[in-house]
CSV table of all heavy atoms in Angstrom, one decimal:
chain,number,residue,atom,x,y,z
A,1079,GLY,N,-7.3,-34.9,-40.8
A,1079,GLY,CA,-7.6,-36.0,-39.9
A,1079,GLY,C,-6.5,-37.0,-39.7
A,1079,GLY,O,-6.6,-37.8,-38.8
A,1080,THR,N,-5.4,-36.9,-40.5
A,1080,THR,CA,-4.3,-37.8,-40.2
A,1080,THR,C,-3.2,-37.0,-39.3
A,1080,THR,O,-2.2,-37.6,-39.0
A,1080,THR,CB,-3.6,-38.3,-41.5
A,1080,THR,OG1,-3.5,-37.2,-42.4
A,1080,THR,CG2,-4.4,-39.4,-42.1
A,1081,GLY,N,-3.5,-35.8,-39.0
A,1081,GLY,CA,-2.6,-35.0,-38.2
A,1081,GLY,C,-2.7,-35.5,-36.7
A,1081,GLY,O,-3.4,-36.4,-36.3
A,1082,TYR,N,-2.0,-34.7,-35.9
A,1082,TYR,CA,-1.8,-35.0,-34.5
A,1082,TYR,C,-3.2,-35.0,-33.7
A,1082,TYR,O,-3.6,-36.1,-33.3
A,1082,TYR,CB,-0.9,-34.0,-33.9
A,1082,TYR,CG,-0.7,-34.0,-32.4
A,1082,TYR,CD1,-0.5,-35.2,-31.7
A,1082,TYR,CD2,-0.6,-32.9,-31.6
A,1082,TYR,CE1,-0.3,-35.3,-30.3
A,1082,TYR,CE2,-0.4,-32.9,-30.3
A,1082,TYR,CZ,-0.3,-34.1,-29.7
A,1082,TYR,OH,-0.1,-34.1,-28.3
A,1085,SER,N,-6.1,-37.2,-35.7
A,1085,SER,CA,-6.1,-38.7,-35.6
A,1085,SER,C,-6.6,-39.2,-34.3
A,1085,SER,O,-7.4,-40.2,-34.2
A,1085,SER,CB,-4.7,-39.2,-35.8
A,1085,SER,OG,-3.8,-38.6,-34.9
A,1100,ILE,N,-11.9,-38.9,-43.8
A,1100,ILE,CA,-10.8,-38.0,-43.6
A,1100,ILE,C,-10.3,-37.4,-45.0
A,1100,ILE,O,-10.1,-38.2,-45.9
A,1100,ILE,CB,-9.6,-38.8,-43.0
A,1100,ILE,CG1,-10.0,-39.0,-41.5
A,1100,ILE,CG2,-8.3,-37.9,-43.0
A,1100,ILE,CD1,-8.9,-39.8,-40.7
A,1102,ASP,N,-7.0,-35.2,-46.2
A,1102,ASP,CA,-5.7,-34.6,-45.7
A,1102,ASP,C,-4.7,-34.6,-46.9
A,1102,ASP,O,-4.8,-35.6,-47.7
A,1102,ASP,CB,-5.1,-35.4,-44.6
A,1102,ASP,CG,-4.1,-34.7,-43.8
A,1102,ASP,OD1,-3.0,-34.2,-44.3
A,1102,ASP,OD2,-4.3,-34.5,-42.6
A,1103,ASP,N,-3.9,-33.6,-47.1
A,1103,ASP,CA,-3.0,-33.6,-48.2
A,1103,ASP,C,-1.6,-34.2,-47.8
A,1103,ASP,O,-0.7,-34.3,-48.6
A,1103,ASP,CB,-2.8,-32.2,-48.8
A,1103,ASP,CG,-2.1,-31.2,-47.8
A,1103,ASP,OD1,-1.9,-31.7,-46.7
A,1103,ASP,OD2,-1.9,-30.1,-48.2
A,1104,LEU,N,-1.6,-34.7,-46.6
A,1104,LEU,CA,-0.4,-35.4,-46.0
A,1104,LEU,C,0.8,-34.4,-46.1
A,1104,LEU,O,2.0,-34.9,-46.1
A,1104,LEU,CB,-0.1,-36.7,-46.7
A,1104,LEU,CG,-1.2,-37.7,-46.7
A,1104,LEU,CD1,-0.7,-39.0,-47.4
A,1104,LEU,CD2,-1.6,-38.1,-45.3
A,1105,SER,N,0.6,-33.1,-46.0
A,1105,SER,CA,1.7,-32.2,-46.0
A,1105,SER,C,2.4,-32.2,-44.6
A,1105,SER,O,3.6,-31.8,-44.6
A,1105,SER,CB,1.2,-30.8,-46.3
A,1105,SER,OG,0.2,-30.4,-45.5
A,1106,ASN,N,1.7,-32.6,-43.6
A,1106,ASN,CA,2.3,-32.7,-42.3
A,1106,ASN,C,1.9,-33.9,-41.5
A,1106,ASN,O,1.8,-33.9,-40.3
A,1106,ASN,CB,2.0,-31.4,-41.5
A,1106,ASN,CG,3.0,-31.2,-40.4
A,1106,ASN,OD1,4.2,-31.4,-40.5
A,1106,ASN,ND2,2.5,-30.7,-39.2
A,1107,SER,N,1.7,-35.0,-42.2
A,1107,SER,CA,1.3,-36.3,-41.6
A,1107,SER,C,1.5,-37.4,-42.6
A,1107,SER,O,1.9,-37.1,-43.8
A,1107,SER,CB,-0.2,-36.3,-41.2
A,1107,SER,OG,-1.0,-35.9,-42.3
A,1108,GLU,N,1.3,-38.6,-42.2
A,1108,GLU,CA,1.6,-39.8,-43.0
A,1108,GLU,C,0.4,-40.7,-43.1
A,1108,GLU,O,-0.3,-40.8,-42.2
A,1108,GLU,CB,2.8,-40.5,-42.5
A,1108,GLU,CG,4.1,-39.7,-42.5
A,1108,GLU,CD,5.2,-40.4,-41.8
A,1108,GLU,OE1,5.2,-41.7,-41.6
A,1108,GLU,OE2,6.3,-39.8,-41.6
A,1109,TYR,N,0.4,-41.4,-44.3
A,1109,TYR,CA,-0.8,-42.3,-44.5
A,1109,TYR,C,-0.8,-43.4,-43.4
A,1109,TYR,O,-1.9,-43.9,-43.2
A,1109,TYR,CB,-0.7,-42.9,-45.9
A,1109,TYR,CG,-1.9,-43.9,-46.1
A,1109,TYR,CD1,-3.1,-43.4,-46.3
A,1109,TYR,CD2,-1.7,-45.2,-46.1
A,1109,TYR,CE1,-4.3,-44.2,-46.5
A,1109,TYR,CE2,-2.8,-46.1,-46.2
A,1109,TYR,CZ,-4.1,-45.6,-46.4
A,1109,TYR,OH,-5.1,-46.5,-46.6
A,1110,ARG,N,0.3,-43.8,-43.0
A,1110,ARG,CA,0.3,-45.0,-42.0
A,1110,ARG,C,-0.6,-44.7,-40.7
A,1110,ARG,O,-1.0,-45.6,-40.1
A,1110,ARG,CB,1.7,-45.4,-41.6
A,1110,ARG,CG,2.5,-44.4,-40.8
A,1110,ARG,CD,3.9,-45.0,-40.5
A,1110,ARG,NE,4.8,-44.0,-40.2
A,1110,ARG,CZ,5.3,-43.8,-39.0
A,1110,ARG,NH1,5.0,-44.5,-38.0
A,1110,ARG,NH2,6.2,-42.8,-38.8
A,1111,THR,N,-0.9,-43.4,-40.5
A,1111,THR,CA,-1.8,-43.1,-39.4
A,1111,THR,C,-3.2,-43.7,-39.6
A,1111,THR,O,-3.8,-44.1,-38.6
A,1111,THR,CB,-1.9,-41.5,-39.2
A,1111,THR,OG1,-0.6,-41.1,-39.1
A,1111,THR,CG2,-2.8,-41.1,-38.1
A,1112,ILE,N,-3.6,-43.8,-40.8
A,1112,ILE,CA,-4.9,-44.4,-41.1
A,1112,ILE,C,-4.9,-45.9,-40.6
A,1112,ILE,O,-5.8,-46.3,-40.0
A,1112,ILE,CB,-5.2,-44.4,-42.6
A,1112,ILE,CG1,-5.4,-43.0,-43.1
A,1112,ILE,CG2,-6.4,-45.3,-43.0
A,1112,ILE,CD1,-6.6,-42.2,-42.7
A,1113,LYS,N,-3.8,-46.6,-40.8
A,1113,LYS,CA,-3.7,-48.0,-40.4
A,1113,LYS,C,-3.6,-48.1,-38.9
A,1113,LYS,O,-4.1,-49.0,-38.3
A,1113,LYS,CB,-2.4,-48.6,-41.0
A,1113,LYS,CG,-2.5,-48.7,-42.5
A,1113,LYS,CD,-1.5,-49.5,-43.1
A,1113,LYS,CE,-1.7,-49.6,-44.6
A,1113,LYS,NZ,-0.5,-49.5,-45.4
A,1114,SER,N,-3.0,-47.1,-38.3
A,1114,SER,CA,-2.9,-47.1,-36.8
A,1114,SER,C,-4.3,-46.8,-36.2
A,1114,SER,O,-4.7,-47.4,-35.2
A,1114,SER,CB,-1.9,-46.0,-36.3
A,1114,SER,OG,-0.7,-46.1,-36.9
A,1115,ILE,N,-5.1,-45.9,-36.8
A,1115,ILE,CA,-6.4,-45.7,-36.4
A,1115,ILE,C,-7.2,-47.0,-36.4
A,1115,ILE,O,-7.9,-47.4,-35.5
A,1115,ILE,CB,-7.1,-44.6,-37.1
A,1115,ILE,CG1,-6.4,-43.2,-36.9
A,1115,ILE,CG2,-8.6,-44.4,-36.8
A,1115,ILE,CD1,-6.9,-42.1,-37.8
A,1125,PHE,N,-10.3,-42.5,-46.6
A,1125,PHE,CA,-9.3,-41.5,-46.7
A,1125,PHE,C,-9.3,-40.9,-48.1
A,1125,PHE,O,-9.3,-41.6,-49.1
A,1125,PHE,CB,-7.9,-42.1,-46.4
A,1125,PHE,CG,-6.8,-41.0,-46.5
A,1125,PHE,CD1,-6.7,-40.0,-45.6
A,1125,PHE,CD2,-5.9,-41.1,-47.6
A,1125,PHE,CE1,-5.7,-39.0,-45.7
A,1125,PHE,CE2,-4.9,-40.1,-47.7
A,1125,PHE,CZ,-4.8,-39.1,-46.8
A,1127,LYS,N,-6.9,-38.1,-50.3
A,1127,LYS,CA,-5.7,-37.2,-50.2
A,1127,LYS,C,-5.9,-36.1,-51.2
A,1127,LYS,O,-5.8,-36.2,-52.4
A,1127,LYS,CB,-4.4,-38.1,-50.6
A,1127,LYS,CG,-3.2,-37.2,-50.6
A,1127,LYS,CD,-2.0,-38.1,-50.9
A,1127,LYS,CE,-0.7,-37.3,-50.9
A,1127,LYS,NZ,-0.5,-36.3,-51.9
A,1260,ILE,N,-0.5,-43.8,-32.2
A,1260,ILE,CA,-0.6,-42.4,-32.8
A,1260,ILE,C,0.0,-41.3,-31.8
A,1260,ILE,O,-0.1,-41.6,-30.6
A,1260,ILE,CB,-2.0,-42.1,-33.2
A,1260,ILE,CG1,-3.0,-42.3,-32.1
A,1260,ILE,CG2,-2.4,-42.9,-34.4
A,1260,ILE,CD1,-4.4,-41.7,-32.4
A,1261,GLY,N,0.4,-40.3,-32.3
A,1261,GLY,CA,1.0,-39.2,-31.5
A,1261,GLY,C,1.5,-38.1,-32.5
A,1261,GLY,O,1.2,-38.1,-33.7
A,1263,MET,N,3.8,-36.1,-34.8
A,1263,MET,CA,5.0,-36.4,-35.7
A,1263,MET,C,5.6,-35.2,-36.3
A,1263,MET,O,5.3,-34.8,-37.4
A,1263,MET,CB,4.5,-37.3,-36.8
A,1263,MET,CG,4.5,-38.8,-36.5
A,1263,MET,SD,4.3,-39.8,-37.9
A,1263,MET,CE,2.5,-39.9,-38.1
A,1264,PRO,N,6.4,-34.5,-35.5
A,1264,PRO,CA,6.9,-33.3,-36.0
A,1264,PRO,C,7.9,-33.5,-37.2
A,1264,PRO,O,8.7,-34.4,-37.1
A,1264,PRO,CB,7.8,-32.7,-34.9
A,1264,PRO,CG,7.6,-33.6,-33.7
A,1264,PRO,CD,7.0,-34.8,-34.2
A,1265,ILE,N,7.6,-32.8,-38.3
A,1265,ILE,CA,8.4,-33.0,-39.5
A,1265,ILE,C,9.5,-31.9,-39.4
A,1265,ILE,O,9.1,-30.7,-39.2
A,1265,ILE,CB,7.6,-32.9,-40.8
A,1265,ILE,CG1,6.7,-34.2,-40.8
A,1265,ILE,CG2,8.5,-32.9,-42.0
A,1265,ILE,CD1,5.7,-34.2,-42.0
A,1402,TRP,N,5.3,-42.7,-26.8
A,1402,TRP,CA,5.2,-42.5,-28.2
A,1402,TRP,C,6.6,-42.2,-28.8
A,1402,TRP,O,6.9,-42.8,-29.9
A,1402,TRP,CB,4.3,-41.3,-28.4
A,1402,TRP,CG,4.3,-40.7,-29.8
A,1402,TRP,CD1,4.7,-39.5,-30.2
A,1402,TRP,CD2,3.9,-41.4,-31.0
A,1402,TRP,NE1,4.6,-39.3,-31.5
A,1402,TRP,CE2,4.1,-40.5,-32.1
A,1402,TRP,CE3,3.4,-42.6,-31.3
A,1402,TRP,CZ2,3.8,-40.8,-33.4
A,1402,TRP,CZ3,3.1,-43.0,-32.7
A,1402,TRP,CH2,3.4,-42.1,-33.7
A,1406,LEU,N,9.0,-44.0,-32.0
A,1406,LEU,CA,9.6,-43.4,-33.3
A,1406,LEU,C,11.0,-43.7,-33.4
A,1406,LEU,O,11.5,-43.6,-34.6
A,1406,LEU,CB,9.4,-41.8,-33.1
A,1406,LEU,CG,7.9,-41.3,-33.1
A,1406,LEU,CD1,8.0,-39.8,-32.9
A,1406,LEU,CD2,7.2,-41.6,-34.4
Side-chain angles (χ1 to χ4, degrees):
T1080 44
Y1082 174 44
S1085 57
I1100 290 178
D1102 200 300
D1103 65 359
L1104 301 181
S1105 55
N1106 200 35
S1107 55
E1108 294 177 13
Y1109 178 75
R1110 68 183 157 109
T1111 301
I1112 296 289
K1113 293 187 179 140
S1114 303
I1115 295 170
F1125 178 71
K1127 179 178 183 292
I1260 52 173
M1263 270 195 274
I1265 295 177
W1402 165 245
L1406 294 177

